[in-house]
Amino acid sequence: MNREKMKDKLQSKVVKKLNYFDYAATAPMRDEALEVYSEFAKMNFGNTQSLHDVGTRAAQVVAACQQFWGRQLGGDSSGVFFTGNASEANQLAIRGFVKGKSGKILACPLEHASVLTVLGELQTEGFEIEWMKLAPSGEVDLEAVARQIDSSYLLMICQWVNSETGIIQPVEQLVKLAATYKIPFHCDAVQGFGKCSLEKWTSEVASFVVSGHKFGGPKGCGVVWMNPAYHWQSVYSGTTHQQGFRAGTLDVAAIAATTRAAELALLEQKALYQRVKELHDVIHKSLPDEIEVVGSRTKKSPFILGVLGFGVDGQHTMLEGNRRGFAFSTGSACKVGHGEAMSTLTSLKYSQDEAKQFVRFSFGRQTTQEQVNQLTQWLQQRRTP
């Protein structure tokens, strides 16, 4: 099949007309990021470990990208590392802090699957995993954590923005609690970076994880800042790349494209936040009375709208929406069919029957008022049986 026929087949009329509301799963690459990727893949293809000029140029590109990320996060650029994705970054960071140790880890129960998975593994290896208590609103209960925490904990873990509900956690206050006892604090910031305003606490965490494809960069590039003030160990002995943080040749083009997408996302963040909030609120206010917005009782990101109450399994609602020209999800794409949304909702005290009805709409830079109007019309027509 020649290139044009393949392109026509992949870009069917159905796909072109689909109204996309799954930006929390992934976002289209920005044109600017695609241009950078193409240019750097051709001109800076060298291995950063090579000592000749081609390798040196590639290493210089990566160093410039590290400096950008260091400036944005308020930290030392020597702590910036690149991975194959944010899930890998979460796991390497968490394991790096506790390698060679034993003891307790305190975590938010609403974490992404990549964090919950590594915590489950660590538990089988003898670590004690304790969970932060949640307030009825879905936020971490700060008073309960303050009573629970002491210097015996090896690590604290809490996401910035929940990927199912958009609930924003009080990370700044949690970081201060952790600092009181000199406990490293790990933050999965995937759903917040480029969407919510960066705050000073980013320079005070022990580790901070970002995913390029959530804000218009390429898939296959995670970014993690490991605060040099905290000690960590290489997870895999003998690793030489990136100071031992992660093995493997760096994808220079993906790193450069991710950094360009991040630069633009941060420049546009305030305006995009306000526009998306307006679109989010239009849908929220138009929902039928029987539909509940999960997380609506606390501070949440307008980029995510998780709802319950359609009266049928969320998979059914999603498939019906797909037939009507709407792309949305039943939860995190990283664990579809494996119950991450179920885990989040049961942690928020919903029953399993209620949790099975969950669907998530998420918004991005290319979401339009017309798309929102069409979705609103469909939701108003769709009533529970």
Side-chain angles (χ1 to χ4, degrees):
M1 184 182 296
N2 65 40
R3 182 179 297 179
E4 289 304 315
K5 287 184 178 179
M6 181 178 290
K7 184 177 179 181
D8 290 342
K9 185 175 181 179
L10 292 174
Q11 295 182 338
S12 67
K13 291 182 180 180
V14 173
V15 173
K16 287 180 180 179
K17 290 182 180 179
L18 207 61
N19 293 308
Y20 189 71
F21 290 97
D22 203 16
Y23 285 87
T26 193
M29 269 188 82
R30 301 181 65 119
D31 291 341
E32 300 92 337
L34 278 166
E35 290 170 6
V36 168
Y37 189 95
S38 179
E39 176 187 348
F40 280 70
K42 293 175 182 176
M43 304 301 296
N44 293 279
F45 58 86
N47 188 322
T48 57
Q49 298 287 90
S50 298
L51 300 180
H52 47 63
D53 287 352
V54 176
T56 299
R57 285 197 297 272
Q60 289 171 341
V61 170
V62 172
C65 292
Q66 287 176 310
Q67 290 170 7
F68 167 85
W69 286 98
R71 287 193 303 271
Q72 300 308 316
L73 302 181
D76 187 335
S77 63
S78 67
V80 175
F81 303 112
F82 301 101
T83 63
N85 50 64
S87 293
E88 180 189 35
N90 277 326
Q91 295 176 2
L92 289 175
I94 291 168
R95 282 195 170 276
F97 284 125
V98 302
K99 185 176 180 181
K101 301 176 183 179
S102 61
K104 298 185 293 183
I105 298 171
L106 182 61
C108 173
L110 305 182
E111 295 300 301
H112 184 263
S114 61
V115 173
L116 295 176
T117 297
V118 73
L119 289 177
E121 292 170 351
L122 290 171
Q123 190 169 35
T124 65
E125 295 167 21
F127 288 87
E128 296 178 53
I129 310 301
E130 296 187 7
W131 303 105
M132 298 175 185
K133 184 178 179 182
L134 300 177
S137 62
E139 281 188 323
V140 168
D141 186 329
L142 290 170
E143 291 185 0
V145 172
R147 291 191 298 268
Q148 181 179 14
I149 194 173
D150 58 44
S151 58
S152 66
Y153 289 88
L154 300 174
L155 182 65
M156 283 179 67
I157 300 170
C158 188
Q159 62 194 186
W160 183 7
V161 177
N162 181 257
S163 60
E164 314 297 333
T165 65
I167 292 173
I168 297 175
Q169 295 296 351
V171 175
E172 183 175 7
Q173 294 91 327
L174 289 168
V175 170
K176 289 178 180 178
L177 280 174
T180 301
Y181 297 96
K182 298 182 179 179
I183 303 170
F185 187 98
H186 173 77
C187 183
D188 175 348
V190 167
Q191 295 294 345
F193 183 86
K195 300 173 183 179
C196 301
S197 296
L198 287 177
E199 300 175 14
K200 290 182 180 180
W201 58 259
T202 61
S203 64
E204 299 167 1
V205 297
S207 49
F208 184 94
V209 169
V210 170
S211 180
H213 73 96
K214 304 295 188 182
F215 50 82
K219 297 174 181 65
C221 186
V223 184
V224 56
W225 183 61
M226 300 290 287
N227 190 332
Y230 292 90
H231 176 72
W232 57 271
Q233 292 191 56
S234 177
V235 174
Y236 301 106
S237 299
T239 299
T240 57
H241 289 76
Q242 301 191 87
Q243 302 176 45
F245 185 75
R246 178 185 184 261
T249 304
L250 291 175
D251 186 342
V252 178
I255 291 167
T258 295
T259 302
R260 178 57 175 155
E263 180 181 28
L264 294 169
L266 292 174
L267 286 172
E268 299 168 357
Q269 183 272 321
K270 289 184 179 179
L272 178 61
Y273 184 96
Q274 185 58 42
R275 186 173 71 82
V276 166
K277 185 177 186 304
E278 292 170 0
L279 296 175
H280 170 284
D281 290 350
V282 167
I283 297 177
H284 190 171
K285 292 174 183 177
S286 67
L287 289 172
D289 292 340
E290 66 269 21
I291 303 301
E292 177 184 354
V293 174
V294 182
S296 60
R297 293 179 292 170
T298 189
K299 185 178 180 182
K300 67 183 292 295
S301 166
F303 289 84
I304 296 173
L305 183 67
V307 300
L308 293 168
F310 285 114
V312 294
D313 191 279
Q315 188 85 351
H316 176 86
T317 305
M318 182 272 292
L319 292 172
E320 181 187 342
N322 189 69
R323 288 193 294 271
R324 301 285 183 171
F326 302 102
F328 55 90
S329 73
T330 57
S332 172
C334 294
K335 214 171 182 183
V336 167
H338 297 275
E340 185 176 348
M342 178 74 75
S343 172
T344 295
L345 291 162
T346 53
S347 293
L348 293 173
K349 308 302 182 185
Y350 290 96
S351 70
Q352 289 196 3
D353 286 341
E354 289 173 320
K356 288 178 181 177
Q357 299 177 35
F358 180 82
V359 293
R360 180 189 70 185
F361 306 98
S362 51
F363 316 97
R365 188 173 63 91
Q366 292 169 296
T367 306
T368 67
Q369 183 67 59
E370 177 59 27
Q371 289 175 330
V372 166
N373 291 343
Q374 291 180 31
L375 178 63
T376 297
Q377 183 179 16
W378 178 66
L379 290 173
Q380 289 174 334
Q381 292 172 349
R382 195 188 186 289
R383 299 281 176 166
T384 55

